[in-house]
Amino acid sequence: MLGLPKGQVFLMPWTEEWEKQFLMEKERILDRLNEKVLIHHIGSTSIKNLSAKPIIDIAIEIEHYEDGVKFISPLEQLGYTFIEDVLPERYYFNKGEPRTHQIHMFQKGNNYLKEHLAFRDYLRTNAKARIEYEELKVKLSQLNSNDKFKYTENKTDFVRSILDKINL
């Protein structure tokens, strides 16, 4: 299953389907943008055996931040909605209702991008941390099933503790 209705927070067990969905969407994006960009699968759906909200998070890495403007229209043609000033230092897009995909477009070397990738990679290789994170996410999703902002905010200390361990 893919898709999270607006205003809801719930988790699904990890499935290989999420990786397949990412790879299909990556190809669609690369075909549409017709430029050299790096595309990463980020977020919990990118971490094997980690329950997640059923939304595919995608990071697009571009050479210069200003170039992101020229990608808005091509991504809108793929069904994405550009939302200005939602998150810092990125172009943000989402797709679907219920929401199935999110794109975070960063300039190459952006610290937020580095953190996303480092956190993902750490959890991919550290089962203990992945299990602790999943337990926290399950608890928070139950406590904040209608408040995605509080759910996300309450994960911050854990995420920061991991990033501190890897010196980011």
Side-chain angles (χ1 to χ4, degrees), residues 2 12 17-18 20 28 44 51 74 99-100 104 109 114:
L2 201 56
M12 303 287 296
E17 187 61 31
W18 289 341
K20 292 176 188 172
R28 293 180 71 220
S44 294
S51 295
R99 188 168 15 124
T100 58
H104 306 260
K114 289 178 185 178

Side-chain angles (χ1 to χ4, degrees), residues 19-34:
E19 183 63 23
K20 292 176 188 172
Q21 289 290 328
F22 164 73
L23 292 171
M24 288 183 347
E25 198 67 9
K26 177 181 177 179
E27 287 306 313
R28 293 180 71 220
I29 292 167
L30 287 170
D31 286 347
R32 180 62 62 176
L33 297 187
N34 202 22

Side-chain angles (χ1 to χ4, degrees), residues 14-129:
W14 184 85
T15 172
E16 289 182 14
E17 187 61 31
W18 289 341
E19 183 63 23
K20 292 176 188 172
Q21 289 290 328
F22 164 73
L23 292 171
M24 288 183 347
E25 198 67 9
K26 177 181 177 179
E27 287 306 313
R28 293 180 71 220
I29 292 167
L30 287 170
D31 286 347
R32 180 62 62 176
L33 297 187
N34 202 22
E35 296 231 6
K36 186 176 179 181
V37 296
L38 291 176
I39 299 180
H40 309 277
H41 190 182
I42 59 171
S44 294
T45 61
S46 70
I47 302 165
K48 187 175 183 177
N49 297 320
L50 179 62
S51 295
K53 294 180 296 180
I55 301 171
I56 306 299
D57 280 295
I58 299 168
I60 299 178
E61 193 172 346
I62 58 177
E63 197 64 37
H64 304 286
Y65 184 78
E66 304 77 36
D67 291 344
V69 171
K70 68 183 176 184
F71 298 127
I72 294 172
S73 180
L75 290 170
E76 287 177 337
Q77 292 168 17
L78 290 174
Y80 285 92
T81 300
F82 172 58
I83 303 174
E84 282 190 77
D85 302 324
V86 172
L87 295 165
E89 299 180 34
R90 74 195 76 184
Y91 293 85
Y92 173 79
F93 303 80
N94 65 34
K95 181 178 183 178
E97 185 51 55
R99 188 168 15 124
T100 58
H101 298 77
Q102 300 180 131
I103 292 175
H104 306 260
M105 187 182 308
F106 299 97
Q107 179 173 315
K108 182 179 180 179
N110 177 283
N111 284 333
Y112 290 108
L113 174 61
K114 289 178 185 178
E115 290 178 348
H116 276 289
L117 297 174
F119 184 73
R120 176 201 67 190
D121 293 347
Y122 187 86
L123 291 186
R124 282 179 171 175
T125 60
N126 188 313
K128 182 179 182 284

Side-chain angles (χ1 to χ4, degrees), residues 118-155:
F119 184 73
R120 176 201 67 190
D121 293 347
Y122 187 86
L123 291 186
R124 282 179 171 175
T125 60
N126 188 313
K128 182 179 182 284
R130 178 184 45 77
I131 291 166
E132 287 175 14
Y133 188 52
E134 180 164 54
E135 289 170 352
L136 175 64
K137 287 170 46 121
V138 167
K139 177 182 164 189
L140 293 175
S141 69
Q142 292 168 348
L143 291 172
N144 303 291
S145 62
N146 295 308
D147 189 341
K148 71 177 182 177
F149 298 108
K150 194 166 185 178
Y151 166 81
T152 300
E153 179 183 314
N154 289 335
K155 296 185 304 178

